[in-house]
Amino acid sequence: MTDPKQWSPETLAAHTLAGIDPASGAVVPGIQPSTTYLRGADNSYPHGRVYSRPDNPGYEVAANLLTKLEGGADSLLFASGMAAATALFLALSPGDHVIAPTVMYWALRRWLLEQATRWGLNVELVATDDLAALAAAIRPGQTKMVWLETPSNPMWTISDIKAVAELAHAAGAKLAVDSTVATPILTRPLSLGADLVMHSATKYLNGHSDVVAGALVTAHKDDFWARVRTNLSGVGGILGPFEAWLLQRGMRTLPIRMKAASLGAMELAQRLQSHPQILQALYPGLPGFPGHEIAARQMTGGFSGMLSIRVKGGETAAIKTAARVELWVRATSLGGVESLIEHRSSIEGPTSPVPADLLRLSVGLEAVDDLYADLDQALRA
Ligand SMILES: Cc1ncc(COP(=O)(O)O)c(C=O)c1O
């Protein structure tokens, strides 16, 4: 048998690394609903598991596969992407200085500014694509974490993971990357120097819009990671066994879905950028996009399935365009097989830095011609 260490992401994902169940011969992993595990007469736990809040064999399938795909040392699954992200910040200490991007997933930005600060974190938002601004904001010895999201929601701003890792490490800070949009198929932040990777597994990792889940991957099994693990079990934001099973099933097709979505988004971005009703198409794969060169260096195999368009005629025209689509689905979220369209600033509220004329597009697996034709009629109507 060939060595799984040499397997490509496609092979790793297709096989999940779980192997054949020795008891039943089943080809796919099972679901283990038990909340508790047998204790031996000698008072030990002979199966290595005590209770299902910290331990379930079903968590291990998706977590081990993600660890391999990201090239990490360990992974943990959470009840949502927010549960995963907040577990990282709560492993810091009150008074620690934290840097996060100005444009990022809005609910996490709001939690950082409104809740993490109440807990004593000193949160500063910086344009993390601007290395000079970032270098000026980092406080050696005080900054304990730099948080990146790349490409970042919903302008798809690109941050240079390798350069930021060097700046963060020189100051004694960890670098954590929300890689939800890139996934390990397109970017491997740990190989570029990041210490931690976070995913809203609700999106591409699961890929079918039927599970809310989150994941963290670490490059080092250190004391900080031990605190994160304690936060998972102690706060209790765990994934259920059925959701963990759905997640590993979705992950089996992750490489092929990412490539197809990236191809579709690239073609749509190219066609939409010259559409008469469109002011601007925002997509890291377009050569004129700020950050394109960094994206081309740190992303491999595509630029993901997310793009945004700024519609001529402002907010009203954007909302009317979204109202007229027939194939695209008007809904929040991203990364599923069906394409979604969303007027972003109205969901993010008055403090949003997102332009009011922006529509966010999550490109699924439909034929690009069908997606384009539907958008075209909605834009022209
Ligand atoms: C980039 C990004 N990070 C984190 C999250 C939060 O994930 P969840 O909804 O799974 O809690 C989202 C959700 O939309 C997201 O898009």
Side-chain angles (χ1 to χ4, degrees):
M1 188 176 171
T2 56
D3 181 358
K5 286 199 195 88
Q6 314 293 331
W7 286 358
S8 64
E10 290 80 359
T11 311
L12 287 169
H15 283 258
T16 70
L17 294 174
I20 306 295
D21 175 32
S24 63
V27 170
V28 297
I31 303 175
Q32 181 47 264
S34 183
T35 54
T36 192
Y37 302 91
L38 183 70
R39 194 163 186 173
D42 63 355
N43 226 19
S44 72
Y45 287 95
H47 300 90
R49 297 185 188 93
V50 177
Y51 185 57
S52 224
R53 201 170 65 234
D55 308 309
N56 186 295
Y59 308 155
E60 292 157 22
V61 181
N64 290 345
L65 175 57
L66 185 60
T67 303
K68 277 276 178 302
L69 291 174
E70 290 284 10
D74 199 15
S75 297
L76 292 170
L77 302 186
F78 291 79
S80 67
M82 282 298 288
T86 53
L88 266 196
F89 288 106
L90 294 176
L92 295 168
S93 301
D96 286 350
H97 180 241
V98 167
I99 292 177
T102 334
V103 179
M104 63 182 287
Y105 175 58
W106 71 287
L108 183 58
R109 182 180 62 229
R110 192 179 57 183
W111 182 85
L112 282 170
L113 294 176
E114 293 177 9
Q115 305 302 325
T117 45
R118 283 164 55 88
W119 190 68
L121 288 187
N122 184 354
V123 178
E124 187 172 347
L125 301 186
V126 177
T128 51
D129 55 324
D130 180 344
L131 287 177
L134 186 64
I138 290 179
R139 303 178 198 163
Q142 284 176 38
T143 307
K144 296 294 182 208
M145 185 176 293
V146 177
W147 179 268
L148 291 184
E149 183 183 324
T150 183
S152 83
N153 245 303
M155 320 278 277
W156 319 117
T157 313
I158 300 292
S159 293
D160 186 334
I161 298 173
K162 194 163 183 281
V164 176
E166 281 163 18
L167 288 176
H169 292 161
K174 288 186 180 298
L175 173 63
V177 179
D178 180 342
S179 198
T180 298
V181 169
T183 82
I185 305 309
L186 306 182
T187 306
R188 301 211 320 160
L190 303 182
S191 72
L192 298 167
D195 303 286
L196 297 142
V197 178
M198 174 259 160
H199 290 281
S200 166
T202 314
K203 318 298 180 194
Y204 287 111
L205 292 189
N206 173 61
H208 294 76
S209 309
D210 53 11
V211 172
V212 174
L216 293 175
V217 189
T218 185
H220 333 276
K221 284 191 185 174
D222 53 10
D223 288 350
F224 182 79
W225 185 247
R227 286 203 296 282
V228 175
R229 186 179 276 281
T230 306
N231 278 346
L232 170 59
S233 178
V235 178
I238 57 159
L239 201 58
F242 181 58
E243 285 75 13
W245 186 86
L246 277 174
L247 175 58
Q248 64 78 29
R249 185 179 65 171
M251 286 175 73
R252 301 183 91 159
T253 54
L254 175 67
I256 197 147
R257 285 188 286 101
M258 284 319 290
K259 282 178 199 156
S262 300
L263 280 176
M266 181 65 136
E267 191 178 333
L268 274 174
Q270 283 165 342
R271 289 165 75 170
L272 289 168
Q273 68 175 340
S274 52
H275 192 285
Q277 303 305 325
I278 287 184
L279 202 61
Q280 195 185 9
L282 302 171
Y283 185 64
L286 294 175
F289 184 81
H292 168 72
E293 280 171 21
I294 298 165
R297 207 168 55 229
Q298 76 184 12
M299 299 182 82
T300 47
F303 297 91
S304 193
M306 297 306 301
L307 73 137
S308 294
I309 48 175
R310 298 189 60 188
V311 177
K312 283 186 186 161
E315 178 169 20
T316 312
I319 292 174
K320 280 190 177 159
T321 302
R324 290 189 202 109
V325 292
E326 289 165 10
L327 169 59
W328 293 77
V329 181
R330 260 183 320 282
T332 196
S333 201
L334 60 99
V337 298
E338 64 289 300
S339 292
L340 305 180
I341 186 166
E342 186 182 33
H343 182 249
R344 211 44 217 171
S345 72
S346 51
I347 192 168
E348 296 195 12
T351 58
S352 169
V354 176
D357 58 7
L358 183 141
L359 291 173
R360 185 179 84 172
L361 307 177
S362 171
V363 181
L365 302 184
E366 305 92 333
V368 175
D369 283 345
D370 295 341
L371 291 172
Y372 182 81
D374 188 36
L375 263 185
D376 182 45
Q377 66 74 25
L379 285 159
R380 287 178 196 273

